[in-house]
Amino acid sequence: MNAIKDVMMNKVLAGEAGKEKAREWGRWLATDEGQAYLAAQMDADFFEERENMDDGICEESRKRVFCNLQKKISRRRFAGLTLKVVAAMVPVAAVIAILLYLNTQVSLFEPPFYQDIHVAKGERMQIAFQDGTRVYLYPGSRLCYPDKFGLTERRVTLDGEAYLK
C-alpha cells in the first residue's frame, strides 16, 4: 500500500498527477492517516541521510566549530585582561596628573626660580604673591622670593622694611 502512496506522491510532486488528483492528495495528507504517512516518510529520509553522511565532513565541521569557540574564548580573555590593565592604570594616571598639576601651582619637583626686587630711594612698591599675600615695600628695601612657593614652606628674604598683608 505504501508503494502506491509513494508513486502517487512522486507524481504529485513532479506535476504529473493533474490538478484534481493533486487536490485529492492534499486533502488526504491533511487527515490523520496522511499526517502519519508524511511523518514516517520524513523519518525514513532523515535516517537514510544520516547513514549516508560522510564522517569526514562531520569531523571537519566539528573542528571548525571548535576553532571558532576557541577564538571567541581567547577574544573574551584578551578583553578581560585589557579591562584589568586599564582599571589598574587609571589610578596611576590620576595620581600622576594630580602631581603634575600641583607642580604647576607649587614647587614640588624642581628648585624654585627666585625673583629679586630692589626698591629705589623715594619709591614704594606693592607685590602680590600667588597665595594672595600682598607685600608693600618701602624705599631702599630688597625682597627675594620664589616664583612658586612650596607646599608647606613660604620662605622669602627681606632686607629693609615691608608690610605684609
Side-chain angles (χ1 to χ4, degrees):
M1 183 72 178
N2 274 347
I4 296 171
K5 291 176 184 173
D6 291 342
V7 169
M8 187 62 187
M9 174 73 101
N10 289 336
K11 282 185 177 182
V12 169
L13 291 176
E16 300 170 356
K19 289 183 181 180
E20 188 56 41
K21 282 286 187 187
R23 281 191 193 111
E24 184 182 320
W25 185 253
R27 282 191 291 271
W28 179 77
L29 286 176
T31 65
D32 289 338
E33 182 185 0
Q35 290 293 309
Y37 170 77
L38 278 176
Q41 287 298 106
M42 290 174 70
D43 288 344
D45 287 347
F46 173 76
F47 289 118
E48 181 182 334
E49 187 64 33
R50 190 171 180 192
E51 287 175 6
N52 293 336
M53 192 181 265
D54 185 12
D55 285 338
I57 294 173
C58 285
E59 188 62 31
E60 186 65 34
S61 206
R62 281 188 211 115
K63 285 180 183 178
R64 195 172 340 111
V65 169
F66 183 71
C67 286
N68 286 339
L69 285 174
Q70 280 184 323
K71 286 178 187 176
K72 285 181 181 179
I73 289 170
S74 66
R75 278 189 219 125
R76 286 200 178 152
R77 283 184 183 158
F78 179 74
L81 180 63
T82 303
L83 185 63
K84 287 177 186 175
V85 168
V86 168
M89 293 304 293
V90 165
V92 172
V95 167
I96 290 172
I98 289 170
L99 287 175
L100 289 175
Y101 174 74
L102 278 176
N103 190 46
T104 63
Q105 302 301 313
V106 295
S107 185
L108 286 179
F109 302 117
E110 64 220 16
F113 175 74
Y114 281 90
Q115 301 283 336
D116 199 9
I117 304 291
H118 295 279
V119 180
K121 292 188 180 192
E123 292 182 15
R124 288 186 179 183
M125 187 177 287
Q126 176 184 344
I127 300 171
F129 291 145
Q130 72 183 43
D131 65 350
T133 303
R134 295 203 178 274
V135 180
Y136 300 94
L137 295 170
Y138 292 104
S141 298
R142 180 178 160 263
L143 179 68
C144 187
Y145 65 93
D147 60 341
K148 293 189 262 182
F149 289 117
L151 262 174
T152 58
E153 197 174 87
R154 291 182 171 93
R155 195 174 284 202
V156 296
T157 305
L158 175 65
D159 184 21
E161 291 181 63
Y163 173 73
L164 288 95
K165 183 176 178 184

